[in-house]
Amino acid sequence: MSMGVIPVGISRQLRIVSALTIREVRLRNSKHAFGQLFDLLEAIVFIVIHWAIFTFMHRHLLIGDSLLLFISTGILPVLFFRTISIKTASALEAAKSVTSIPYVEALDYSLARSFVELLSFTMMFGLGFVMIYALGLSRFAIPYDFTPIIVSILMLTVFSFGIGLVNSFITFLFHPWKLFWGFFSRVQIFLSAVFFIPEYMPPELRNIVAYNPMMHFVSLFRTGFYPTYPTHLLSVTYIGCWTVVLLIVGLALERVLRNHRAGY
């Protein structure tokens, strides 16, 4: 195989994914605009409801100067994980409209959808935190260090993408899995130390929560906002291993599923 074939192949795939991304953005801004608005409203409602509940309960502020910011920095990464994992799996199922085009595969469509979600959530993250800062609700709303935030978002995107590929394969074998995953991804809000700092939990709970990769993603994301956020349990290596393994397994299962569908 000529070495020149690889750059040409990569260039072609980038053009395909770019074209599908533009197509998806146009669809989102037309007939699917309501769905995009629903995702935004869901995030806002989640944050406001939990903020109101904990405020009414006179919840003690664990760090920073705003309970609203603390809840937002926990809920948004989990909602991002949920959206990417679901949209990735659904894209593989709904790719029939584009796979009839030469050189376009369901995986390309899934990549394009995930990239659009990344752009949408990044803008939503930015706008939300800017508003919290502009309204004087928290001086920590503007990150003091963008590096852990960028790293957590990029790693979480790949992690969620891998989960989505695996879920697509499981759904093909066991269709009700889609409903189970929808429920489980919502429950993740209560399993990822969103409303607590893991290091402040009782040891028996802390050790259990530490096995959940989403806890580490939330902690890494928060370290960009709070200079004194505890990081004794945080392990970037742990979530890095999860991300790589899930991506490799997900791509392998997607290939198996693609070959199976091609045979029919």
Side-chain angles (χ1 to χ4, degrees), residues 21-254:
T21 300
I22 295 173
R23 175 185 182 274
E24 186 69 13
V25 170
R26 289 176 176 174
L27 287 175
R28 294 288 182 89
N29 292 326
S30 56
K31 63 180 181 179
H32 295 304
F34 179 77
Q36 191 74 3
L37 179 61
F38 179 80
D39 291 339
L40 175 60
L41 290 177
E42 181 185 33
I44 295 174
V45 168
F46 259 90
I47 293 171
V48 171
I49 288 179
H50 287 92
W51 173 58
I53 291 174
F54 284 112
T55 301
F56 178 77
M57 295 173 59
H58 301 288
R59 166 71 182 276
H60 176 66
L61 189 60
L62 298 175
I63 195 171
D65 57 359
S66 169
L67 183 59
L68 176 62
L69 179 67
F70 180 76
I71 293 175
S72 298
T73 54
I75 287 182
L76 287 177
V78 177
L79 290 181
F80 179 64
F81 158 74
R82 177 178 181 272
T83 300
I84 292 289
S85 63
I86 291 177
K87 290 296 177 65
T88 298
S90 63
L92 292 177
E93 298 176 12
K96 293 181 180 179
S97 60
V98 295
T99 51
S100 58
I101 303 173
Y103 303 114
V104 177
E105 300 289 348
L107 184 61
D108 299 321
Y109 187 46
S110 184
L111 283 169
R113 270 198 173 183
S114 298
F115 186 66
V116 172
E117 293 300 331
L118 172 62
L119 295 177
S120 299
F121 266 81
T122 299
M123 290 187 291
M124 185 178 71
F125 286 168
L127 179 60
F129 294 131
V130 166
M131 289 182 61
I132 291 176
Y133 182 81
L135 294 174
L137 298 176
S138 175
R139 63 186 177 89
F140 293 100
I142 300 300
Y144 85 98
D145 186 1
F146 283 92
T147 301
I149 296 175
I150 295 173
V151 171
S152 65
I153 291 177
L154 292 180
M155 288 183 65
L156 186 55
T157 302
V158 179
F159 175 83
S160 306
F161 182 77
I163 285 279
L165 295 179
V166 173
N167 284 342
S168 178
F169 183 81
I170 297 176
T171 301
F172 176 76
L173 299 177
F174 180 62
H175 194 70
W177 174 255
K178 182 189 300 185
L179 300 176
F180 291 134
W181 180 254
F183 172 77
F184 176 75
S185 60
R186 289 182 182 274
V187 176
Q188 272 288 344
I189 288 181
F190 304 101
L191 303 176
S192 306
V194 169
F195 306 111
F196 303 93
I197 295 179
E199 284 76 2
Y200 297 166
M201 289 180 169
E204 57 273 13
L205 291 178
R206 183 176 59 204
N207 295 333
I208 295 175
V209 171
Y211 285 105
N212 183 1
M214 280 307 302
M215 183 280 289
H216 297 268
F217 280 114
V218 170
S219 294
L220 180 60
F221 187 78
R222 279 176 169 161
T223 58
F225 292 88
Y226 302 108
T228 59
Y229 193 85
T231 57
H232 301 93
L233 293 177
L234 173 61
S235 174
V236 178
T237 302
Y238 180 68
I239 54 178
C241 291
W242 266 102
T243 300
V244 172
V245 170
L246 281 173
L247 181 61
I248 293 175
V249 172
L251 289 174
L253 292 179
E254 188 277 333

